[in-house]
């Protein structure tokens, strides 16, 4: 087994989903730490602070991004994150996570080269474990 994911990040306003994912990550010990943001703007503000403070060790290894959120949705977050992502040396694996099965959403998500994959909620436990294992192999 590879190196454990140090820091994972969930950007999602669905409290039930977030709590479920947090429990899975804790029980299965998939990540050392977890960042949780209720919308894209909260997450973007966090990343901008890291960028200005040059504290890349506080960047997540993996991000799970919901599409439908208030304030700033996943699409808006992706549009803004692309602008600052190249300022980070660290490789960040980003998954779009949505209950939408609309093929247009899938295509749109895949049009962003920083999106590793599009996952449909609910995500199976085995899939979660595989994601974290794949991420370890890259590290």
């Amino acid at each position: 087994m590879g190196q454990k994911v140090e820091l994972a990040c969930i950007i999602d306003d669905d409290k039930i989903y977030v709590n479920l994912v947090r429990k899975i990550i804790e029980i299965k010990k998939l990540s050392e730490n977890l960042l949780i943001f209720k919308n894209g703007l909260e997450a973007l503000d966090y990343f901008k602070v890291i960028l200005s403070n040059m504290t890349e060790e506080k960047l997540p290894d993996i991000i799970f991004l919901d599409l439908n959120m208030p304030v700033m949705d996943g699409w808006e977050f992706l549009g803004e994150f692309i602008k600052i992502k190249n300022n980070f040396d660290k490789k960040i694996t980003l998954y779009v996570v949505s209950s939408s099965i609309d093929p247009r959403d899938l295509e749109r998500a895949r049009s962003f080269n920083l999106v590793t994959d599009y996952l449909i909620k609910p995500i199976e436990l085995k899939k979660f474990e595989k994601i974290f294992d794949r991420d370890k192999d890259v590290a």
Side-chain angles (χ1 to χ4, degrees):
M1 197 124 108
Q3 190 180 350
K4 188 182 279 193
V5 171
E6 287 295 318
L7 184 59
C9 174
I10 302 170
I11 307 170
D12 200 312
D13 64 320
D14 181 341
K15 288 190 182 96
I16 295 166
Y17 166 78
V18 168
N19 284 331
L20 178 70
V21 172
R22 182 186 336 178
K23 285 277 179 243
I24 290 169
I25 288 171
E26 284 172 9
I27 291 166
K28 293 289 185 176
K29 296 178 173 50
L30 299 175
S31 178
E32 292 287 323
N33 298 290
L34 188 60
L35 291 170
I36 298 168
F37 301 104
K38 292 189 295 288
N39 61 64
L41 188 60
E42 279 185 7
L44 194 64
D45 287 345
Y46 174 84
F47 291 122
K48 285 180 176 174
V49 166
I50 286 176
L51 186 60
S52 65
N53 294 338
M54 304 296 283
T55 51
E56 279 205 20
E57 68 277 1
K58 292 184 178 162
L59 283 173
D61 301 292
I62 190 166
I63 296 173
F64 296 99
L65 174 68
D66 185 32
L67 291 179
N68 301 309
M69 296 175 285
V71 187
M72 178 186 273
D73 68 18
W75 298 122
E76 293 169 300
F77 173 81
L78 282 170
E80 292 300 311
F81 189 63
I82 281 173
K83 296 174 189 172
I84 63 167
K85 183 193 164 295
N86 290 337
N87 295 308
F88 301 125
D89 290 328
K90 184 173 187 174
K91 184 190 180 298
I92 300 170
T93 307
L94 191 147
Y95 291 90
V96 168
V97 182
S98 180
S99 51
S100 170
I101 55 170
D102 186 331
R104 290 171 300 190
D105 286 340
L106 190 68
E107 284 307 306
R108 187 173 173 195
R110 289 192 171 141
S111 74
F112 289 90
N113 64 0
L114 67 119
V115 173
T116 302
D117 203 355
Y118 185 99
L119 308 172
I120 296 168
K121 290 179 186 177
I123 305 169
E124 297 168 21
L125 180 60
K126 282 191 178 356
K127 181 98 172 164
F128 250 120
E129 289 177 311
K130 204 176 241 173
I131 285 166
F132 279 88
D133 275 345
R134 189 187 321 152
D135 203 60
K136 289 175 195 168
D137 293 341
V138 172

